[in-house]
């Protein structure tokens, strides 16, 4: 009677639940995603696209969905579109608007109660919510943002044992960079669904993180599967948003194979030119095949791309012409992505293949770059730029030509050319530039080459202009030599030479002329003083004597004067050139050499000359293209002397080549000042002996191996260990330490070589008391005098116990034994009567004081022990 009453009450309730909107949410959601569009200030339009199971009654009750805005608020947004598609799929579009409170990152999300039933890789999918989200970053530094739109639907068909292809077809109108990740599907509260697994594949399931191409090769079992793709959006290196797409793949058993799209490749096109290429597809099973295209170029408001015909359908094979007449407004930093989709009409389901390519639209090169040298400047000129939507120009310079012509997809000026960006023009209407080396003037003797690049608001760069080169007029002296001939503290000598001016404007500067040699020293580099003067333009050499070339280097400048009577003036000065000064730093079996390189010409190589202990002359021992050299394999304690010979040239024609100069002589004696490398320490504890065995090895073959002994460091507590011992035999690499009372402690090792150089301490290894069995008491012993288990003692192997406080009570609570000795050794006698205690159960309380890395720590044991004779 009771059971019938309960059923009588529950049955109507159950029927109401099943027929209510809450009860029909089951077998509903297949796939979904959220995108957003900026409207004004902090107001955005949100679009939620979902694909649902058409037969589900829930479709009729889903005119609104709840959106959580990520700012602590939520709203109901309305379904604007509902369209029935084949294969029991309904397309739903929900739209809403929201004003966010201010700059921050907001996670906009929706959790819909139920997915459709029977999803193979989601346990109990019919009762599992579908959770999707998009991240929106509002930042005054990054600018307003629109999310990518996903052009290719997230529900598609596949066949068992056949590859499945998909791409979200993401297009970002802002030109932001996109990356892709395959992630687990989300469920209740946005958490990863418990038990979720990726679909099983015969070979692999991959997602290209740069293109978004998904390849499932190949499904093993028919059924419905869901995966999630996280599409992240990047601007100037910062993540600015993301979309989590939850998609469904319906796999059936069939003999059909997907169609094949012939190879199409990434490409580039110059803005203003036409891009044309053929796309072909065929079906290996002789089905009809339909070819379509989508992507950013198809969505442009003006001058969009097209595929002709579209769609293109044919029996077994088909082809279509991709056409795009590009314009300047198409230029952007990143490429456009285009997706081609081939679909057959096979049975029981149609299969698809996809190809994605990237098309970069590049701004045209600034045209007809020319130059005019004037004085110590060069004026650049070029034609009006054809793309007025560009922002300005980058100016690049290099001291010599390269003959560079840009590649098909090579934008800007590649770094491998050695060009340097010297300036930026922010006015695209400008067509000239004066290079005065930022006020310092350009140098004679150099061949200056230039290229100009237009840049766009999103930092996209055009092709580089033609390379334009020029040299300044040779109307001043050009210094070529500042070479040490004698090294001495008092009698040093420097050889100075220069190339005479050959393009003097004799109308403005009638002559006669005079050279003035000016010199400064390295300790006072800006204080030039007059050394001498020469009145013949053909006199282009000079010897500077009585210098301290051992301790200083010298800087020289050649001034040209017009000395017409009554009209004397400085015409101009050469660039400053310095003598080479070499510094020698001795170390273990080595001398480290370095030198300055302050000259107006290009020193492209240096020859290192050495005079060894038994040599009488300098000989070449090596070469370098940079201003340093390490002379290795020397004998410690022996004297080695060096000087450097530089070889260089001016890039302009008409100068001596090569230009050879010498440094002063410098000597050094190698000495062992390099310590060994710190050893690598390991420790093995022998608990039975309360001993720690230290073992160590060398950490690097490059370190000196002249080890004399090792130092052993130890501390009984956590912290920096101190020296306790040494191992005198350098071939010994182990050490046994038996600490007092406890194995706990920290250890380190250091190596010292034969000359007293001490290595850094090795890695510090700490051993705590718990590395050995901890102090434990038994629950029974048999004091019957047979020599076996006659005493109540702790289990063997323990270490690091300072003392115990043990008390043993009989069942009436009377104390029968007590001790502070960790070994205990109770023979079962009463402490008061010294008579054997009767057989039975006794209770003990034992405070164990253990010595740890953190000092002595008390641990309490309490249990029972049974006497059995």
């Amino acid at each position: 009677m009771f059971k019938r009453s309960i059923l009588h009450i529950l049955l109507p309730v159950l029927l109401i639940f099943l027929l209510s909107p809450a009860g029909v949410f089951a077998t509903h959601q297949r796939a979904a995603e959220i995108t957003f569009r900026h409207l004004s200030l902090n107001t955005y339009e949100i679009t939620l696209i979902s694909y649902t199971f058409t037969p589900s009654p829930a479709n009729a009750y889903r005119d609104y969905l709840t959106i959580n805005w990520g700012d602590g608020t939520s709203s109901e947004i309305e379904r604007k579109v509902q369209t029935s598609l084949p294969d029991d799929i309904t397309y739903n579009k929900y739209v809403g608007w929201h004003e966010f409170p201010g700059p921050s990152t907001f996670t906009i999300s929706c959790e819909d109660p139920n997915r459709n039933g029977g999803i193979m890789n989601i346990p109990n999918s019919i009762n599992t919510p579908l959770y999707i989200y998009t991240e929106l970053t509002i930042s005054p530094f990054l600018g307003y943002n629109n999310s990518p739109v996903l052009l290719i639907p997230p529900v598609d068909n596949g066949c068992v044992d056949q590859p499945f292809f998909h791409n979200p077809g993401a297009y970002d109108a802002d030109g932001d960079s996109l990356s892709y990740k395959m992630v687990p599907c989300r469920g209740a509260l946005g958490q990863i669904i418990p038990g979720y697994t990726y679909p099983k594949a015969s070979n692999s399931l991959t997602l290209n993180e740069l293109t978004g191409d998904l390849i499932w090769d190949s499904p093993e079992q028919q059924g419905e599967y869901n995966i999630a793709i996280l599409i992240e959006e990047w601007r100037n290196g910062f993540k600015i948003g993301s979309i989590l797409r939850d998609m469904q793949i319906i796999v059936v058993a069939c003999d059909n194979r997907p169609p094949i799209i012939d190879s199409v490749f990434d490409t580039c096109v110059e803005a203003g030119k036409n891009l044309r290429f053929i796309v072909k597809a065929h079906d290996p099973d002789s089905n009809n095949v339909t070819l379509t295209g989508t992507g950013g170029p198809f969505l442009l408001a003006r001058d969009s791309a097209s595929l002709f015909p579209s769609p293109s359908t044919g029996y077994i094979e088909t082809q279509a012409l991709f056409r795009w007449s590009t314009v300047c407004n198409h230029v952007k930093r990143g490429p456009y992505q285009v997706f081609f989709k081939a679909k057959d009409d096979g049975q029981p389901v149609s299969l698809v293949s996809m190809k994605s390519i990237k098309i970069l639209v590049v701004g045209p090169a600034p045209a007809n770059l020319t130059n005019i040298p004037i004085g110590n400047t060069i004026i650049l000129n070029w034609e009006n730029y054809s793309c007025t939507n560009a922002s300005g120009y980058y100016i690049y310079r290099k001291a010599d030509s390269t003959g560079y012509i840009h590649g098909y997809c090579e934008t800007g000026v590649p770094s491998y050319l050695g060009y340097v960006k010297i300036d930026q023009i922010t006015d695209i209407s400008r067509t000239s530039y004066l290079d005065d080396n930022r006020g310092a003037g350009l140098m004679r003797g150099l061949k200056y080459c230039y290229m100009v690049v237009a840049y766009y608001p999103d930092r996209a760069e055009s092709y580089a202009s033609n390379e334009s080169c020029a040299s300044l007029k040779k109307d001043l002296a050009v210094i070529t030599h500042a070479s040490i001939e004698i090294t001495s503290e008092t009698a040093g000598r420097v050889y100075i030479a220069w190339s005479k001016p050959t393009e003097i404007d004799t109308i403005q500067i009638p002559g006669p002329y005079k050279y003035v040699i000016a010199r400064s020293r390295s300790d006072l580099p800006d204080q030039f003083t007059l050394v001498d003067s020469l009145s013949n333009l053909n006199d282009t050499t000079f010897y500077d004597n009585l210098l301290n070339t051992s301790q200083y280097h010298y800087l020289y400048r050649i001034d040209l004067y017009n000395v017409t009577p009554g009209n004397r003036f400085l015409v101009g000065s050469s660039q400053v050139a310095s003598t080479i000064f070499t510094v020698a730093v001795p170390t273990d079996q080595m001398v480290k050499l370095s030198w300055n390189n302050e000259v107006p010409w290009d020193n492209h190589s240096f020859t290192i000359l050495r005079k060894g202990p038994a040599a009488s002359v300098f000989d070449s021992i090596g070469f370098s293209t940079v201003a340093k050299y390490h002379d290795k394999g020397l004998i410690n304690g022996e004297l080695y002397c060096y000087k450097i010979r530089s070889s260089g040239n001016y890039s302009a024609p008409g100068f001596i080549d090569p230009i050879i100069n010498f440094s002063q002589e410098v000597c050094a004696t190698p000495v062992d000042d390099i310590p060994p490398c710190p050893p690598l320490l390991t420790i093995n504890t022998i608990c039975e002996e309360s001993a720690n065995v230290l073992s160590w090895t060398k950490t690097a073959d490059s370190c000196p191996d002249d080890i004399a002994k090792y130092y052993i460091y130890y501390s009984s507590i956590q912290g920096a260990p101190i020296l306790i011992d040494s191992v005198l035999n350098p071939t010994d690499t182990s050490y046994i330490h038996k600490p007092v009372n406890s194995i706990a402690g920290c250890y380190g090792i250091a190596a010292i070589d034969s000359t007293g150089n001490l290595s850094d301490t090795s890695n510090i290894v700490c051993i705590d008391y718990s590395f050995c069995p901890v102090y434990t008491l038994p629950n029974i012993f048999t004091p019957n005098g047979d020599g076996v288990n006659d005493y109540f003692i702790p289990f063997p192997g323990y270490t690091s116990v300072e003392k115990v406080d043990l008390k043993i009570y009989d069942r009436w609570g009377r104390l029968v034994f007590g001790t502070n000795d960790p070994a205990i050794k109770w023979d079962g006698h009463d402490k008061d009567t010294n008579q054997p205690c009767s057989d039975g159960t006794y209770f003990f309380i034992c405070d164990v004081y253990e010595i740890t890395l953190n000092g002595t720590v008390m641990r309490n044991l309490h249990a029972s022990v049974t006497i059995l004779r």
Side-chain angles (χ1 to χ4, degrees):
M1 183 68 183
F2 176 77
K3 291 182 180 180
R4 293 186 60 187
S5 298
I6 292 295
L7 288 175
H8 179 74
I9 295 171
L10 289 182
L11 186 57
V13 174
L14 181 61
L15 290 173
I16 291 171
F17 174 78
L18 291 175
L19 295 175
S20 69
V24 296
F25 287 165
T27 66
H28 189 60
Q29 290 285 4
R30 291 184 180 272
E33 66 214 22
I34 300 172
T35 59
F36 58 83
R37 182 170 67 93
H38 177 247
L39 298 178
S40 63
L41 296 177
N42 295 334
T43 301
Y44 287 78
E45 178 186 82
I46 307 301
T47 300
L48 188 153
I49 303 295
S50 76
Y51 293 79
T52 53
F53 181 62
T54 302
S56 171
N59 281 314
Y61 295 95
R62 310 305 285 155
D63 289 333
Y64 292 88
L65 288 179
T66 300
I67 289 288
N68 291 304
W69 299 109
D71 59 2
T73 67
S74 62
S75 304
E76 297 286 319
I77 63 173
E78 184 180 3
R79 177 162 56 186
K80 301 293 186 180
V81 178
Q82 182 179 17
T83 304
S84 294
L85 304 175
D87 301 323
D88 289 333
I89 299 171
T90 296
Y91 168 86
N92 306 275
K93 180 179 180 180
Y94 297 81
V95 180
W97 298 267
H98 187 68
E99 182 178 359
F100 291 89
S104 187
T105 295
F106 303 95
T107 300
I108 306 163
S109 64
C110 177
E111 180 180 321
D112 204 26
N114 299 88
R115 298 172 182 267
N116 65 287
I119 299 176
M120 301 292 287
N121 60 327
I122 296 180
N124 191 27
S125 64
I126 195 170
N127 293 314
T128 300
L130 180 142
Y131 179 92
I132 51 173
Y133 70 87
T134 185
E135 287 181 311
L136 164 63
T137 296
I138 300 177
S139 167
F141 306 105
L142 297 174
Y144 293 112
N145 184 38
N146 299 283
S147 76
V149 292
L150 309 185
L151 304 175
I152 298 176
V155 180
D156 218 335
N157 296 320
C159 275
V160 174
D161 294 330
Q162 294 297 324
F164 171 83
F165 304 93
H166 178 76
N167 191 298
Y171 170 64
D172 192 283
D174 299 332
D176 297 319
S177 299
L178 303 178
S179 62
Y180 304 83
K181 294 178 182 177
M182 185 159 39
V183 296
C185 293
R186 301 297 183 99
L189 302 177
Q191 300 299 307
I192 295 174
I193 297 171
Y196 175 85
T197 59
Y198 290 114
K200 293 182 179 180
S202 300
N203 296 309
S204 61
L205 174 65
T206 60
L207 178 68
N208 188 304
E209 63 180 13
L210 298 179
T211 65
D213 290 335
L214 172 73
I215 302 177
W216 182 7
D217 185 17
S218 295
E220 293 184 351
Q221 185 179 356
Q222 61 182 340
E224 297 175 354
Y225 298 85
N226 273 62
I227 63 171
I229 299 176
L230 182 65
I231 304 163
E232 295 179 309
E233 190 179 5
W234 305 85
R235 181 178 297 176
N236 300 331
F238 294 93
K239 181 180 172 183
I240 195 172
S242 67
I243 299 173
L244 182 72
R245 159 177 272 197
D246 195 309
M247 68 168 292
Q248 186 167 91
I249 307 164
I250 303 168
V251 178
V252 301
C254 59
D255 295 328
N256 190 22
R257 291 174 292 175
I260 298 171
I261 301 175
D262 292 357
S263 294
V264 285
F265 302 99
D266 296 347
T267 188
C268 299
V269 59
E270 182 181 312
K273 295 187 177 180
N274 297 327
L275 180 63
R276 302 282 190 273
F277 58 84
I278 296 291
V279 185
K280 298 180 179 180
H282 66 276
D283 190 83
D285 299 317
S286 300
N287 292 314
N288 288 321
V289 59
T290 300
L291 181 64
T292 57
T294 189
F298 295 94
L299 302 179
L300 300 173
R302 296 178 54 191
D303 306 295
S304 60
S306 64
L307 195 66
F308 180 79
S310 181
S312 173
T313 301
Y315 172 63
I316 301 178
E317 62 182 15
T318 189
Q319 67 178 33
L321 174 65
F322 177 85
R323 304 180 297 188
W324 191 12
S325 298
T326 63
V327 296
C328 290
N329 285 336
H330 295 160
V331 175
K332 68 186 186 80
R333 188 180 181 199
Y336 294 85
Q337 199 165 5
V338 175
F339 311 94
F340 297 107
K341 182 176 182 179
K343 184 175 184 179
D344 67 17
D345 63 351
Q347 295 297 326
V349 294
S350 296
L351 297 184
V352 303
S353 286
M354 297 196 67
K355 293 280 187 182
S356 66
I357 67 168
K358 293 183 177 181
I359 302 173
L360 182 66
V361 181
V362 185
N368 194 25
L369 177 64
T370 60
N371 63 78
I372 303 173
I374 299 178
N376 62 353
T377 69
I378 293 177
I379 298 176
L380 304 178
N381 293 289
W382 58 92
E383 295 180 2
N384 286 321
Y385 193 58
S386 58
C387 285
T388 58
N389 60 315
S391 299
Y393 303 97
Y394 296 138
I395 311 298
Y396 289 85
R397 184 182 70 202
K398 176 181 169 62
D400 208 354
S401 60
T402 63
Y404 171 74
I405 299 175
H406 67 77
Y408 191 52
C409 288
E410 199 166 31
T411 63
V413 176
S415 59
Y416 65 80
L417 295 176
Y419 269 83
V420 175
K421 184 166 68 176
I422 61 170
D423 214 338
Q424 177 177 345
I425 297 174
T426 57
D427 182 1
I428 196 63
S429 65
R430 274 185 57 180
T431 58
S432 66
Y433 177 78
L434 173 67
D435 183 17
D436 62 358
N437 199 24
R438 297 193 178 274
L442 300 172
M443 295 191 293
R444 285 158 179 81
L446 297 184
K447 179 183 178 182
Y448 289 100
C449 295
Y450 298 87
M451 284 193 281
V452 177
V453 171
Y455 70 92
Y456 290 74
D458 68 345
R459 297 187 296 135
E461 295 185 7
S462 72
Y463 289 128
S465 71
N466 59 293
E467 187 177 52
S468 179
C469 301
S471 300
L472 301 183
K473 287 185 179 180
K474 194 179 176 186
D475 52 4
L476 293 173
V478 178
I479 196 165
T480 57
H481 292 78
S483 184
I484 304 292
E485 293 216 334
I486 297 176
T487 301
S488 170
E489 292 187 5
T490 58
R493 183 168 72 185
V494 176
Y495 168 68
I496 312 299
W498 57 93
S499 181
K500 72 177 184 179
T502 57
E503 299 178 86
I504 298 177
D505 184 349
T506 56
I507 296 176
Q508 299 293 327
I509 310 169
Y513 311 103
K514 181 172 72 172
Y515 296 120
V516 173
I517 298 97
R519 178 190 71 212
S520 69
R521 206 169 70 174
S522 56
D523 56 335
L524 299 169
D526 297 325
Q527 297 185 15
F528 280 87
T529 58
L530 172 65
V531 176
D532 206 342
S533 62
L534 302 172
S535 298
N536 189 336
L537 278 186
N538 292 320
D539 289 342
T540 58
T541 61
F542 179 78
Y543 289 93
D544 194 11
N545 295 299
L546 304 177
L547 302 174
N548 183 356
T549 54
S550 292
Q551 296 177 321
Y552 302 101
H553 63 274
Y554 291 86
L555 299 90
Y556 291 90
R557 187 187 71 217
I558 310 300
D559 299 332
L560 178 66
Y561 280 85
N562 180 79
V563 290
T564 304
N567 190 24
R568 175 187 171 92
F569 60 88
L570 174 65
V571 178
S573 304
S574 73
Q575 295 293 321
V576 174
S578 170
T579 59
I580 302 173
F581 188 82
T582 303
V583 175
V585 178
T587 184
D588 187 27
Q589 302 179 52
M590 182 194 311
V591 173
K592 297 180 179 180
L593 302 171
S594 61
W595 53 92
N596 62 316
N597 186 29
E598 302 163 8
V599 293
W601 60 88
D602 176 32
N603 278 328
H604 48 72
S605 66
F606 302 92
T607 303
I608 292 82
L609 305 173
R610 184 184 73 192
K611 183 169 66 174
S616 59
V617 296
F618 283 89
D619 193 12
S620 170
I621 61 163
F623 301 90
S624 178
T625 58
V626 294
K628 63 181 180 180
Y629 182 83
H630 292 176
D631 188 17
K632 301 177 182 179
L634 306 180
I635 300 173
N636 288 340
E638 297 287 352
L639 183 68
Y640 296 85
C641 295
Y642 302 88
K643 60 182 177 180
I644 306 300
R645 181 177 66 212
S646 67
S647 179
N649 67 290
Y650 282 106
S651 56
F655 295 90
I656 185 173
D657 188 2
I659 299 172
I660 304 295
N661 286 275
F662 289 88
S663 75
Q664 94 285 13
E665 297 176 14
V666 62
C667 299
T669 301
V671 61
D672 183 359
D673 60 352
I674 299 179
C677 288
L680 179 63
L681 175 64
T682 58
I683 295 180
N684 180 38
T685 299
I686 304 175
C687 298
E688 295 78 4
E689 301 178 13
S690 295
N692 292 320
V693 181
L694 285 65
S695 302
W696 57 89
T697 57
K698 288 174 56 179
T699 55
D701 293 336
S702 59
C703 294
D705 57 3
D706 59 333
I707 296 172
K709 60 182 176 180
Y710 294 97
Y711 285 153
I712 311 298
Y713 297 88
Y714 166 76
S715 173
S716 61
I717 60 174
Q718 192 91 38
I722 61 174
L723 181 65
I724 61 166
D725 206 348
S726 60
V727 176
L728 300 180
N729 187 346
T731 62
D732 288 345
T733 57
S734 65
Y735 179 84
I736 298 176
H737 184 231
K738 295 184 177 181
V740 178
N741 298 326
S742 175
I743 61 165
C746 294
Y747 296 87
I749 304 290
I752 188 169
D753 66 15
S754 56
T755 57
N757 296 307
L758 182 65
S759 76
D760 290 336
T761 306
S762 71
N763 56 305
I764 303 301
V765 179
C766 294
I767 302 296
D768 209 349
Y769 78 101
S770 57
F771 277 57
C772 288
V774 297
Y775 191 84
T776 307
L777 297 176
N779 60 5
I780 189 172
F781 75 110
T782 57
N784 56 13
D786 64 356
V788 178
N789 200 25
D790 285 333
Y791 293 93
F792 180 57
I793 57 175
F795 286 110
Y798 74 89
T799 64
S800 311
V801 177
E802 182 182 87
K803 65 177 182 177
V804 300
D805 184 4
L806 171 70
K807 292 180 173 59
I808 301 177
Y809 299 89
D810 63 18
R811 59 183 175 174
W812 294 280
R814 189 175 65 85
L815 181 68
V816 297
F817 181 78
T819 184
N820 297 120
D821 182 4
I824 304 177
K825 295 184 179 178
W826 183 41
D827 59 3
H829 285 66
D830 188 297
K831 73 176 181 66
D832 295 326
T833 65
N834 202 27
Q835 295 298 314
C837 296
S838 61
D839 288 6
T841 299
Y842 294 80
F843 304 92
F844 65 81
I845 299 174
C846 183
D847 292 336
V848 184
Y849 293 84
E850 292 165 311
I851 304 172
T852 74
L853 284 173
N854 297 311
T856 301
V857 176
M858 190 270 285
R859 179 167 59 93
N860 178 261
L861 304 177
H862 52 278
S864 65
V865 58
T866 299
I867 294 177
L868 182 64
R869 290 184 173 86

